[in-house]
Each structure stands twice: as structure tokens, then as C-alpha cells.
Amino acid sequence: QVQLVQSGAEVKEPGASVKVSCKASGYTFTTYYMHWVRQAPGQGLEWMGLINPSGGGTTYAQKFQGRVVMTKDTSTSTVYMVLYSLRSEDTAVYYCARVHSSGRAIDAFEIWGQGTMVTVSS
Amino acid sequence: DIQMTQSPSSLSASVGDRVTITCRASQSIRTFLNWYQQEPGKAPNLLISSASTLQSGVPSRFSGSGSGTDFTLTISSLQPEDFTTFYCQQSYGSPPTFGQGTRVEIK
């Protein structure tokens, strides 16, 4: 079945970076754009950016420009999100989400990872 | 960026009630509007895409309507498992943006 499996919870100190992985299975990895969405405790959903798993092109939310990098490894059907210069406000659950329609960059998010809790604390 | 405004932010209702949640976009998004349900501690689940297309496996008590700037999610008869949070999201343009969420609570 189609699924996205993310890496485990992380605890980081302020100023550090975190790398979250998202392994896809059950479909052709290169044909569906992947996005990252985060959710701070008790808050709503915030879009961070997207990656084209075919060519590797990325688009980042303006808020995270210069602080986030999204990459992909086609050989393992995995996408990665690295967030640098962490601060306490980055404490959140980070989700990868696959779009609904192949080839569409901006679309409904049909498949979600289970989420990765990132805690930033000294 | 396109702003998405949901109303109400929360509501109290009883099992069997008919519930309507509204989502308004800051500009026309045609029918590029999606609805999600999120249970506590879980990832969001896509209920409806393109304003009114029910996803496979989603109960028929859920329905969506609207176009342009005004959209609604209707639950025809609330069930115990529906007391969760619902979000709208526009996929008309980049960046994709979400409403702030509507929490449905037991009266």
C-alpha cells in the first residue's frame, strides 16, 4: 500500500540543525511532488516547502528561505528536510505529504507521513 | 499569499446534529479547495478535494460545496468519531495555505 514512513523524534539545542527523512513506498516515487508541513503544539498546519522527486527542484516558503533545505534520494525513494539554526519556536511535528495527482506541484495532500516530533530546548 | 479563513474556530454539537463549517479565500480559487480531518496525535486525513470530491473510504455524511471564495463542509449527522479538528486548504496557487482549523466538540 502507499505509505510514507518518517524518521523518529529528535531533541535539539537552539542553534543546531535537524534532518528528517520520509521514505515512500507503494507507488512510483518520481511521479508525485512531496511537501513538508509542520504543526506546533496546539496550533494549525504550516506549509514549509516542496520538492520535485524527479528533478529535485524545490520551492520553499518565504518564512523558511535560507534556513531549510529539501533533498531526495531516488535510489531509496526518500526525501529529506533539513532545518538549520533551530530556535524554540521550531518545536513542532513535521510531516511529509504527497500530492494527490501525479505531476501536479500544488495539489491536495493525499498521503501523509506519521509525523516527526522535533523539540528544540536547551 | 492567499489567506484562508475558517469559521467558526470551534463549535459544540451533539451526535446526530447537522454541522456546517465555512472556509473563505482572500481571492478566487475556483474549486481548488480541500478539506482535512485531524484526530489528536495523528496526521491530517484528506476528506474532500476540488471542493466537492469525496475521497475513497470517506463516509457519505461528509460533503463539500462552493466555488470562487466561499466554501462549506457539511456533516449531515455527526458521529462520535467526528469530534475532531477540520482544516481547509487551497491548492490554487503557491504557497498552498490552510485555514486555522475548526474544532468540533461534544455539547
Side-chain angles (χ1 to χ4, degrees), chain B residues 41-61:
Chain B
K42 293 191 173 183
N45 178 53
L46 179 63
L47 297 176
I48 290 170
S49 64
S50 302
S52 61
T53 302
L54 201 65
Q55 297 304 292
S56 175
V58 175
S60 59
R61 64 181 181 273

Side-chain angles (χ1 to χ4, degrees), chain A residues 5-42:
Chain A
V5 178
Q6 298 183 222
S7 49
E10 303 265 11
V11 179
K12 297 291 183 180
E13 293 191 348
S17 62
V18 67
K19 186 173 187 177
V20 181
S21 67
C22 170
K23 183 174 176 60
S25 61
Y27 70 97
T28 303
F29 175 72
T30 53
T31 58
Y32 291 84
Y33 282 74
M34 197 77 79
H35 294 239
W36 289 90
V37 176
R38 77 177 186 178
Q39 186 171 38

Side-chain angles (χ1 to χ4, degrees), chain A:
Chain A
Q1 74 282 21
V2 177
Q3 64 176 350
L4 303 174
V5 178
Q6 298 183 222
S7 49
E10 303 265 11
V11 179
K12 297 291 183 180
E13 293 191 348
S17 62
V18 67
K19 186 173 187 177
V20 181
S21 67
C22 170
K23 183 174 176 60
S25 61
Y27 70 97
T28 303
F29 175 72
T30 53
T31 58
Y32 291 84
Y33 282 74
M34 197 77 79
H35 294 239
W36 289 90
V37 176
R38 77 177 186 178
Q39 186 171 38
Q43 302 302 307
L45 301 166
E46 180 177 33
W47 182 77
M48 299 181 69
L50 65 83
I51 183 167
N52 178 353
S54 178
T58 54
T59 300
Y60 303 134
Q62 189 168 9
K63 175 177 180 177
F64 300 102
Q65 288 274 2
R67 210 162 64 92
V68 70
V69 174
M70 298 175 187
T71 58
K72 54 94 177 181
D73 181 343
T74 305
S75 68
T76 60
S77 299
T78 302
V79 295
Y80 300 92
M81 187 278 298
V82 180
L83 188 61
Y84 297 93
S85 302
L86 290 168
R87 34 214 190 219
S88 58
E89 310 90 86
D90 294 318
T91 294
V93 176
Y94 290 76
Y95 295 102
C96 57
R98 195 207 79 174
V99 297
H100 181 269
S101 301
S102 65
R104 283 185 59 90
I106 305 297
D107 197 10
F109 301 126
E110 182 183 19
I111 309 295
W112 294 70
Q114 83 275 20
T116 297
M117 182 70 211
V118 175
T119 303
V120 183
S121 174
S122 55

